[in-house]
Amino acid sequence: MTQERPATTHPSLRPRSAELYERACRVIPGGVNSPVRAFRAVGGTPLFIARAAGAQVFDADGRAYLDFVGSWGPLIAGHAHPAVVAAVTEALGRGMTYGAPCAAEVELAERVVAAYPAVEQVRLVSSGTEAVMSAIRVARASTQRELIVKFAGCYHGHADHLLVAAGSGLATFGRPSSGGVPEAFVACTRVLPLDDEAAAAELFGREGARIAAVIIEPVPANHGLLPQRRAFLHALRELTRQHGALLIFDEVISGFRLGRGGAAEWLGIAPDLATFGKVIGGGMPVGAFGGARRHMAHLAPDGDTYQAGTLSGNPVAMAAGLATLDLLERERAWERLEARAAELEQLLVPVLFAARFPVHLVRVGSLFWLSFHAAGAPRVAAPLSAAESARFAALFHAMLDRGIYLPPSAYEACFLSLAHGPAELTRLVEALSESLAMIA
Ligand code: PMP
């Protein structure tokens, strides 16, 4: 599927990025190594980043931007936090990978187990996709069942059987699914709407005995930010328990961001399995999945369920994760982020209210989303109209011109980090106020 690029490109302002993009398009599909980076939803050509520090990224043309993408979530401490850089530098000197166990991976695993009561054992991998894919395999092995239930709009990485009604880049492209995934590969996947206990109960009534697991982002953040009613999540906990299915919380975004114990702690719900990524790697490629010992015991080498990785538990990546988790504890990060984000909410609400068209702020801890849905902030995955999408694209470019880097898609949430202080919040609010006024 090709999409027209809107005419709002400003390559003349960013010649070095434009040149890199042109080169990239020759050798990398779409010029990017992950689709949403390509600016297709907002038009124009992507910034190529040359360096980053604190709350800022600097593009190849030397322009500075205040960053609210935060590499899509890992950088809760900000870019190149000195403590993380020091830990990584130190680890690098001791070798980049061993392919054999090391102390740092034990420490990171201990940290996850201590923080997340539902996790007695955890295995470390190199991405969120891998974490989810492996957790599903464990759920199927442990229950001896085949069906997986996911929710429309939730994204769980790009494993074949989960590329059904997914969010993230797929929401951006308005595609319900993906090419290259045979029907047979999704035959064991069921998709439910969010926010609908009755639909879940009905499905369990019909196929409950075949359902291995229900997987959900406890705070869905890949189709905009769609905080769920606690009662709905509790109903899923109950239904899965009654039917002997596992509940999997995909905490790749929420884990160690909404609090030490992730969304599970925040909601007071213990899942059977949980997946992690982003923050636990502190910016390095790390994912993890874990749960009760009786489920995790199915994994090889103890059990018959295979899962492996050449770079799993990589010592340099572990160092970044450990340093990040250390500083989150030391700096009482979650409390501070909540206070900062609440401050931002107070500043933003009147600015959004003054806009000539509907824009709503949705915030959960240090995650926030500007919803351009005219009908208000949705609780289920809802597509934006062409006019709403065009408004977001205009806002995105107006903000970029003011040195603010928002996610280049109306469906993606923004991330605050410890590096976003009062001055950064003020800059965001001022730029937003000006930009909204410019858009009819
Ligand atoms: N699960 C969720 C909830 C995610 O947001 C993502 C990525 N944004 C993934 C899984 C996949 O993680 P990765 O991109 O590291 O493979």
Side-chain angles (χ1 to χ4, degrees):
M1 182 192 64
T2 45
Q3 286 187 344
E4 286 281 278
R5 283 198 210 123
T8 49
T9 52
H10 307 294
S12 58
L13 291 176
R14 295 182 268 275
R16 187 83 189 110
S17 274
E19 183 202 320
L20 283 167
Y21 183 57
E22 221 178 278
R23 273 173 57 196
C25 285
R26 275 182 233 133
V27 290
I28 300 173
V32 291
N33 283 312
S34 199
V36 76
R37 297 178 192 172
F39 278 30
R40 294 291 165 87
V42 292
T45 55
L47 303 186
F48 279 66
I49 305 301
R51 69 187 177 90
Q56 286 189 300
V57 292
F58 300 84
D59 71 11
D61 293 284
R63 288 167 188 266
Y65 303 85
L66 188 50
D67 178 27
F68 290 92
V69 181
S71 191
W72 306 95
L75 299 175
I76 195 167
H79 290 275
H81 189 288
V84 181
V85 171
V88 165
T89 309
E90 212 251 323
L92 267 174
R94 285 182 270 116
M96 278 195 250
T97 172
Y98 313 132
C102 66
E105 56 192 319
V106 186
E107 280 168 40
L108 192 60
E110 284 170 348
R111 220 58 82 78
V112 176
V113 168
Y116 205 96
V119 170
E120 290 175 345
Q121 287 200 315
V122 62
R123 188 161 272 180
L124 295 153
V125 293
S126 301
S127 71
T129 294
E130 256 186 282
V132 170
M133 193 180 79
S134 310
I136 298 267
R137 191 174 301 148
V138 166
R140 284 175 162 153
S142 187
T143 57
Q144 296 287 299
R145 298 175 179 182
E146 288 185 340
L147 300 188
I148 296 297
V149 181
K150 78 176 288 289
F151 292 88
C154 284
Y155 178 67
H156 302 291
H158 62 91
D160 284 333
H161 54 288
L162 291 166
L163 283 178
V164 189
S168 197
L170 294 164
T172 301
F173 294 151
R175 277 189 307 204
S177 199
S178 165
V181 179
E183 289 276 315
F185 284 28
V186 296
C188 289
T189 306
R190 300 288 180 269
V191 182
L192 286 174
L194 287 163
D195 191 40
D196 189 343
E197 289 91 326
E202 194 273 330
L203 177 65
F204 268 94
R206 236 179 327 117
E207 298 192 286
R210 294 180 60 210
I211 296 173
V214 171
I215 183 164
I216 189 167
E217 296 176 70
V219 177
N222 277 293
H223 205 288
L225 193 56
L226 310 172
Q228 297 296 293
R229 289 174 296 110
R230 270 165 209 248
F232 171 66
L233 295 163
H234 278 285
L236 295 181
R237 178 63 287 183
E238 260 327 288
L239 267 175
T240 44
R241 196 170 274 142
Q242 278 166 16
H243 290 264
L246 305 191
L247 179 63
I248 307 176
F249 273 2
D250 182 349
E251 299 238 29
V252 166
I253 287 181
S254 51
F256 294 96
R257 174 166 284 277
L258 297 185
R260 184 186 296 102
E265 176 182 71
W266 196 71
L267 294 159
I269 298 175
D272 298 296
L273 295 171
T275 57
F276 303 90
K278 305 200 191 251
V279 172
I280 57 160
M284 296 291 274
V286 180
F289 64 101
R293 191 171 277 109
R294 70 178 183 285
H295 303 307
M296 298 300 282
H298 288 274
L299 283 168
D302 288 343
D304 66 354
T305 303
Y306 196 67
Q307 185 279 329
T310 300
L311 296 176
S312 294
N314 174 271
V316 183
M318 297 297 103
L322 283 168
T324 300
L325 299 191
D326 276 347
L327 79 88
L328 292 179
E329 295 283 353
R330 199 169 58 236
E331 301 191 10
R332 297 193 353 269
W334 298 291
E335 244 172 87
R336 278 178 53 200
L337 284 167
E338 172 58 33
R340 192 61 48 75
E343 217 173 288
L344 176 64
E345 183 172 355
Q346 289 232 312
L347 295 170
L348 274 185
V349 166
V351 167
L352 301 183
F353 190 72
R356 283 173 288 176
F357 53 88
V359 199
H360 299 91
L361 175 72
V362 183
R363 178 181 80 82
V364 180
S366 55
L367 293 168
F368 67 96
W369 178 49
L370 300 175
S371 166
F372 274 59
H373 285 281
R379 245 199 323 247
V380 298
L384 288 156
S385 71
E388 290 160 351
S389 300
R391 276 186 199 138
F392 177 81
L395 178 88
F396 172 83
H397 283 288
M399 294 294 276
L400 203 58
D401 290 344
R402 285 165 180 73
I404 310 281
Y405 189 53
L406 298 177
S409 159
Y411 295 102
E412 301 285 351
C414 301
F415 294 89
L416 275 189
S417 78
L418 292 170
H420 292 88
E424 283 76 18
L425 300 195
T426 303
R427 266 193 66 198
L428 171 66
V429 173
E430 283 174 5
L432 203 53
S433 175
E434 282 177 28
S435 300
L436 287 169
M438 273 180 52
I439 303 164

